[in-house]
């Protein structure tokens, strides 16, 4: 049994929703159309451009205007946005218009009418000697391009040619003339249209060329928009994966279009200007042919004393040939060419009519009817009345409505046969005699709002996005007592976001132990309710949806104890109410309370409100923590954020996506959290629980929740008393010690515990010339600095301090628990598992730093490249350098010094070398030679060692000495000896031998990559 006795709870057949509620007005039968028609307010004005002098009328005024329309003002446009009901009005006009016997009507439907179909509709009235020739021409021309692929290619080519030959202009601004000239040139749009790489984009199935071809061959589909087909700026925002394969000209014009919106707008306008001649070329008929056909038809009808009335459901289907139609409409009968009167009623989107129509159309317009009502217009239109007729039609069924129409009977009112019609109408409402079930006026209004982009009434959206889904999808839910479903609430969510956002009202609607029933009751009150708060609705509504009302709702508020694991929402649904709340006089909700309600409903919370709530929660929790035990004392916390990177001085995390990194996440889906926040916001505003409505009960709720928060924070924030109980401290300590080693901090390599602890917090030693080893500098920057997804060294140090610090005396001086850290730093087990309480950001940061410090091969190669090999030098650098300078000077004295040796540079480089440089370079080089024998720490110490400057100075001298020795040796071997030179040679024989040895040794040294 249901609320309707032995009948199902829902009073319609779900399949009829699709039969009765179409996407387009013309797709239903005549009986359904007439049974569902509602009077829709429209505005009427006498001039196209005069939007101030308007009158709100209905469809009867349109009917009268067509009957009164003079011959010299043959045009009546019906304007409006897509989906507002323009086609519906044209169809209603066609059904209700009583024409004279002398009137011939041509009706051009909106969908599934091809270019050939449009012309043949007109040719039906052609009976003269040219009629057959015209029909044959139309058939032959259109059939020649019947293959869609061929038509697309031809249209692309025609557009390219017409743009190049007719796209440039000599009028307009200097910038537009210049841009048009470029776009119309062979290097502009024609290059883009002819490029193979961009071919797929331009000929895409959903692109403008394909859409236009489909329309001309098969007509518009129900899924197509009402706007005229053509190129838009979006169509010209071009990008392809293999753009480098495109021609240079195509690449350049595509790049210019993608980067400049104004350029794209001009390009789209230029392409659309050439659509009409291009369509004519591709399909063999164009605007001139249409004009000729209509002119011949008008001439023939004039001879018969007839007149012509054309009803067009969508003028945009004439895209490409509209010029011929307009010329034919505005053509005036003359003595030389007598034409019958021709009137046109056209449905057209406002933007297309205002922006695309020539001035002659405006001057020949009789009346303008507009479905876009001006702001503030007073109308008597009722969305409920509009919906009620469709609701009744679905109940009756399409077949029954068609039978009634054929018999000229009034449509049946299904409610007349319902056993509960009276109480149903009283509860859910009625409009024009038809019941609104399963909606009432409030639910219908909110559902419509939930599917409206700007709050306006769009007939198509109401039908296809509100009525049809509910009647087809939710019938089963209603019959099985599962309505309103979660799907219903989600689909129309934005229409009721401002309803029942108060968590306390939602708590009052709970049924302990039945979450599903509670959720349905909240949805019911949110959409069908009459007020902002918790309430029982009309008993019939509760009965119809199987949702019992709550006894004594105005007197008793169900209350739940806060139970469950610390820090998690309560899962108990069976705790009985604790007491009846005491409700005083109504006080408006403070702004912060409203902000919390909005946050819960929409996840939107302003920065000011967020910071205020953080401060409130922080103060409430901090005042209950024993912060002296492990955090450096209360005074440090009051100062700000120094020692709390996860629960910073005034920080509470509200983003559920960051729960893993937050000490105290506040979840908007957790009822207990939200209720505590609201109550804290109330007392923060009023200052005393005594002044807060129902303050005594809310204070108890808040205290219970704060205790949960305190325990959650204390468990994560306060350090354990034993190092063994704190694996996080172990991991942090060893990670920071490894970081110190990678930064070259000497104490990190010492064996004593005190030095290592100091290294945890010691600043890294400065490197005079970090550019010598950029890869080392990059590694050290990485491990010491942070990023959006990685903590820096300072933050990890603060985290360690929080785990192992305590306050002395009055709590002011912060001290490190050396005993605890000493045990940790001596513990070799640095890889013990992280505890579950460690924030994920800490874990991922340590992992990233550890991986980065482990990549030493590149650093080794970089270091070895910088270090010169002195194994073949054969002596002390200072002695060899002195002898080299002596030889250079003596050769210079006898004018035998080879070109290319700069004595001053050579002497300066030798003087720059310090006494310990050679030894440091040699010992460091020797350590690198035994790399495989070194431990990880020894390798890191070697890489980060302070030998850079010594290596640079030695290499700087070698860079000058090596070529000098080569030049001297070559000079001595090839020079012709005099007696004095021979005597000199004998005296300096030993020195020459040393120089030759040095030359051989230096020749074995790898050339440096660069000089300092």
């Amino acid at each position: 049994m249901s609320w309707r006795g032995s009948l199902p709870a829902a009073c319609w057949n779900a399949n009829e929703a699709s039969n009765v509620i179409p996407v387009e007005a013309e797709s239903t039968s005549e009986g359904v159309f007439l049974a569902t028609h509602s009077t829709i307010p429209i505005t009427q004005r006498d001039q196209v451009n005069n939007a101030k002098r308007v009158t709100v009328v209905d469809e009867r005024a349109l009917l009268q205007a067509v009957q009164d329309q003079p011959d010299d003002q043959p045009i009546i446009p019906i304007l409006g946005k897509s989906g507002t009901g323009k086609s519906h009005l044209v169809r209603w006009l066609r059904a209700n218009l009583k024409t004279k016997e002398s009137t011939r009507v041509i009706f051009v439907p909106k969908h599934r009418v091809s270019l050939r179909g449009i012309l043949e509709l007109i040719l039906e009235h052609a009976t003269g000697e040219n009629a057959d020739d015209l029909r044959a021409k139309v058939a032959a021309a259109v059939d020649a391009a019947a293959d869609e692929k061929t038509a697309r290619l031809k249209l692309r080519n025609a557009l390219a040619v017409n743009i190049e030959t007719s796209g440039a202009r000599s009028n307009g601004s200097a910038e537009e003339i210049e841009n048009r000239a470029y776009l119309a040139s062979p290097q502009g749009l024609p290059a883009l249209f002819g490029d193979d790489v961009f071919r797929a984009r331009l000929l895409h199935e959903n692109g403008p060329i394909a859409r236009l071809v489909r329309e001309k061959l098969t007509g518009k589909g129900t899924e197509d928009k009402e706007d005229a087909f053509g190129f838009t700026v979006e169509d010209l925002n071009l990008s392809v994966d293999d753009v480098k394969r495109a021609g240079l000209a195509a690449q350049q014009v595509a790049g210019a279009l993608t980067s400049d919106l104004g350029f794209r707008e001009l390009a789209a306008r230029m392409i659309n200007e050439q659509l009409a001649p291009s369509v004519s070329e591709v399909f063999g008929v164009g605007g001139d042919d249409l004009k000729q056909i209509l002119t011949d038809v008008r001439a023939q009808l004039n001879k018969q004393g007839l007149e012509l009335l054309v009803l067009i459901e969508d003028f945009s289907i004439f895209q490409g040939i509209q010029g011929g139609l307009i010329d034919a409409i505005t053509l005036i009968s003359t003595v030389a060419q007598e034409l019958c009167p021709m009137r046109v009623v056209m449905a057209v989107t406002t933007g297309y009519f205002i922006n695309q129509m020539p001035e002659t159309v405006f001057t020949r317009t009789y009346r303008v009817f507009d479905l876009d009502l001006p702001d503030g217009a007073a109308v008597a239109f009722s969305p409920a009345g509009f919906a009620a007729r469709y609701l009744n039609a679905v109940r009756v069924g399409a077949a029954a409505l068609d039978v009634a129409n054929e018999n000229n009977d009034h449509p049946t009112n299904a409610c007349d046969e319902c056993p509960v019609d009276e109480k149903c109408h009283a509860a859910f409402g009625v409009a024009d005699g038809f019941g609104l079930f399963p909606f009432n006026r409030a639910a219908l209004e909110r559902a419509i709002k939930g599917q409206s982009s700007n709050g306006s009434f769009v007939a198509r959206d109401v039908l296809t996005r509100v009525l049809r889904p509910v009647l087809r999808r939710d019938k089963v839910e209603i019959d099985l007592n599962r309505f309103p479903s979660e799907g219903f609430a989600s689909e129309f969510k934005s229409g009721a976001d401002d309803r029942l956002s108060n968590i306390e009202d939602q708590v009052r609607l709970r049924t302990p132990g039945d979450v599903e029933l509670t959720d349905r009751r909240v949805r019911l009150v949110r959409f069908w309710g009459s007020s902002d708060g918790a309430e029982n609705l009309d008993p019939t509504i509760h009965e119809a949806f199987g949702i019992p009302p709550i006894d004594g709702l105005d007197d008793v508020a169900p209350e739940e104890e806060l139970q469950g694991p610390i820090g998690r929402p309560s899962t108990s649904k069976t705790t009985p109410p604790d007491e009846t709340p005491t409700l005083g006089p109504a006080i408006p909700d403070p702004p912060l309370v409203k902000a919390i309600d909005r946050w819960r409903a929409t996840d939107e919370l302003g920065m000011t409100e967020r910071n205020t709530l953080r401060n409130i929660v922080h103060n409430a929790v901090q005042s209950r923590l024993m912060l002296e035990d492990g955090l450096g004392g209360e005074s440090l916390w009051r100062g700000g954020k120094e020692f709390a990177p996860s629960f910073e001085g005034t920080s509470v995390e509200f983003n559920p996506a960051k729960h893993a990194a937050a000490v105290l996440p506040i979840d908007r889906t957790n009822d207990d959290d939200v209720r505590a926040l609201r109550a804290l916001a109330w007392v923060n505003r009023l200052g005393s629980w005594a002044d807060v409505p129902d303050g005594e009960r809310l204070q108890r709720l808040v205290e219970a929740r704060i205790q949960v928060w305190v325990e959650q924070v204390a468990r994560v924030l306060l350090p354990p008393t034993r190092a063994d109980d704190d694996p996080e401290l172990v991991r942090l300590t060893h990670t920071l010690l490894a970081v110190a080693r990678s930064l070259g901090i000497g104490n990190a390599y010492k064996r004593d515990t005190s030095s290592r602890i100091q290294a945890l917090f010691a600043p890294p030693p400065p490197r005079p010339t970090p550019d010598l080893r950029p890869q080392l500098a990059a590694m050290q920057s990485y491990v010491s600095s942070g990023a959006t997804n990685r903590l820096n060294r300072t933050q990890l140090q603060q985290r360690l301090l929080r785990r192992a610090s305590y306050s002395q005396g009055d709590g002011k001086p912060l001290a490190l628990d050396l005993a605890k850290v000493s045990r940790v730093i001596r513990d070799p087990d640095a890889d013990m598992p992280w505890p579950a309480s460690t924030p994920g950001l800490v874990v991922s940061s340590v992992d990233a730093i550890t991986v980065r410090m482990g990549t030493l091969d590149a650093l080794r190669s970089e270091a070895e490249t910088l270090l010169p090999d002195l194994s073949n030098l054969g002596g002390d650098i200072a002695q060899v350098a002195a002898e080299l300078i002596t030889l250079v000077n003596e050769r210079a004295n006898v004018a035998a010094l080879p070109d290319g040796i700069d004595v001053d540079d050579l002497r300066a480089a030798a003087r720059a070398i310090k006494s310990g440089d050679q030894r440091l370079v040699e010992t460091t080089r020797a350590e690198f030679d035994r790399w495989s024998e070194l431990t990880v720490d020894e390798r890191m110490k070697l890489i980060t060692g302070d030998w850079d400057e010594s290596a640079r100075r030695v290499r700087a001298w070698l860079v000058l000495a090596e070529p000098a020795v080569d030049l001297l040796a070559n000079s001595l071997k090839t020079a012709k000896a005099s007696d004095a030179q021979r005597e000199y040679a004998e005296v300096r024989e030993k020195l020459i031998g040393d120089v030759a040895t040095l030359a051989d040794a230096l020749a074995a040294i790898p050339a440096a990559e660069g000089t300092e």
Side-chain angles (χ1 to χ4, degrees), residues 623-689:
S623 63
R624 293 164 175 79
L625 283 170
M626 298 297 292
L627 294 178
E628 300 82 3
D629 186 13
L631 286 169
E634 184 178 0
S635 60
L636 288 176
W637 269 76
R638 287 181 175 175
K641 308 177 180 179
E642 290 85 352
F643 302 106
S646 290
F647 186 76
E648 295 177 348
T650 55
S651 176
V652 177
E653 182 56 64
F654 283 87
N655 185 351
K658 298 179 181 177
H659 281 187
V663 170
L664 182 58
I666 303 294
D667 186 356
R668 72 183 182 91
T669 65
N670 185 320
D671 290 351
D672 298 330
D673 279 353
V674 176
R675 295 179 71 191
L677 278 182
R678 291 185 87 260
L680 285 169
W682 265 107
V683 75
N684 181 69
R685 175 63 181 270
L686 299 181
S688 169
W689 287 111

Side-chain angles (χ1 to χ4, degrees), residues 82 141 218 228 238 278 332 342 389 430 467 932 950:
S82 177
T218 61
L238 299 169
S278 300
I332 299 174
M342 176 180 178
R389 294 181 177 276
V430 62
L467 297 184
S932 60
S950 295

Side-chain angles (χ1 to χ4, degrees), residues 518-568:
T518 296
D519 291 342
R520 284 204 299 131
R521 184 181 289 110
V522 169
R523 296 178 202 130
L524 179 68
V525 176
R526 176 168 280 148
F527 283 92
W528 278 259
S530 60
S531 67
D532 290 332
E535 61 179 332
N536 284 327
L537 309 183
D538 186 288
T540 298
I541 297 179
H542 286 278
E543 180 185 3
F545 295 145
I547 302 175
I550 292 182
D551 294 336
L553 178 60
D554 295 334
D555 301 322
V556 177
E559 185 63 35
E560 293 177 17
E561 297 291 340
L562 294 169
Q563 297 182 359
I566 293 176
R568 299 184 61 82

Side-chain angles (χ1 to χ4, degrees), residues 737-815:
L737 186 61
V739 168
R741 289 174 179 143
S742 70
L743 295 176
I745 298 173
N747 279 343
Y749 293 100
K750 294 182 179 179
R751 289 185 170 276
D752 64 287
T753 303
S754 178
S755 296
R756 292 188 176 190
I757 292 176
Q758 292 177 20
L760 298 177
F761 303 95
R767 286 191 174 274
T769 52
D771 292 343
L772 285 176
R773 288 197 279 166
Q775 294 187 59
L776 175 62
M779 185 274 287
Q780 292 178 332
S781 174
Y782 184 92
V783 301
S784 60
S785 62
T788 56
N789 61 345
R790 188 178 73 252
L791 298 177
N792 58 35
R793 183 187 182 214
T794 300
Q795 290 171 313
L796 292 176
Q797 289 169 343
Q798 292 171 344
R799 182 81 187 180
L800 184 147
L801 282 173
R802 202 178 64 211
R803 309 301 301 186
S805 63
Y806 65 96
S807 57
Q808 297 176 348
D810 60 2
K812 291 183 179 178
L814 179 70

Side-chain angles (χ1 to χ4, degrees), residues 32 96 160 163 258 352 594 918:
V32 171
N96 288 274
I163 290 168
T258 302
Y352 185 82
K594 294 180 179 179
Q918 181 177 359

Side-chain angles (χ1 to χ4, degrees), residues 230-362:
F231 277 77
T232 66
V233 292
E234 289 78 14
D235 295 320
L236 296 176
N237 193 2
L238 299 169
S239 62
V240 294
D241 294 334
D242 50 355
V243 66
K244 292 184 179 179
R245 291 182 50 243
L248 180 60
Q251 289 185 43
Q252 291 176 340
V253 70
L257 291 170
T258 302
S259 61
D260 190 334
L261 175 60
F263 210 53
R264 292 201 300 275
E265 291 174 342
L266 175 61
R269 188 160 64 250
M270 290 177 61
I271 297 172
N272 292 334
E273 289 168 356
Q274 305 307 321
L275 277 179
S278 300
V279 167
S280 178
E281 294 173 22
V282 172
F283 294 97
V285 291
D288 291 340
D289 297 295
L290 177 59
K291 176 183 177 181
Q292 183 60 51
I293 292 172
L294 275 171
T295 301
D296 287 354
V297 168
R298 290 184 65 185
Q300 294 171 24
L301 293 180
N302 181 70
K303 293 177 182 179
Q304 303 173 49
L306 304 175
E307 65 176 7
L308 184 62
L309 174 63
V310 182
L311 304 178
I312 302 173
E313 279 199 332
D314 182 4
F315 186 82
S316 71
I317 66 174
F318 287 89
Q319 174 81 1
I321 58 172
Q322 72 270 25
L325 176 62
I326 293 170
D327 289 345
I329 294 172
T330 56
L331 193 64
I332 299 174
S333 178
T334 64
V335 174
Q337 187 179 36
E338 295 184 351
L339 306 173
C340 78
M342 176 180 178
R343 294 173 292 148
V344 175
V345 180
M346 63 174 73
V348 56
T349 56
T350 305
Y352 185 82
F353 184 79
I354 298 299
N355 299 323
Q356 302 290 333
M357 294 294 185
E359 186 67 26
T360 52
V361 172
F362 297 166

Side-chain angles (χ1 to χ4, degrees), residues 125 304 354 406 606 621 823 855 915 951:
H125 299 273
Q304 303 173 49
I354 298 299
E406 292 172 1
V621 173
R823 289 193 298 271
T855 55
S915 61

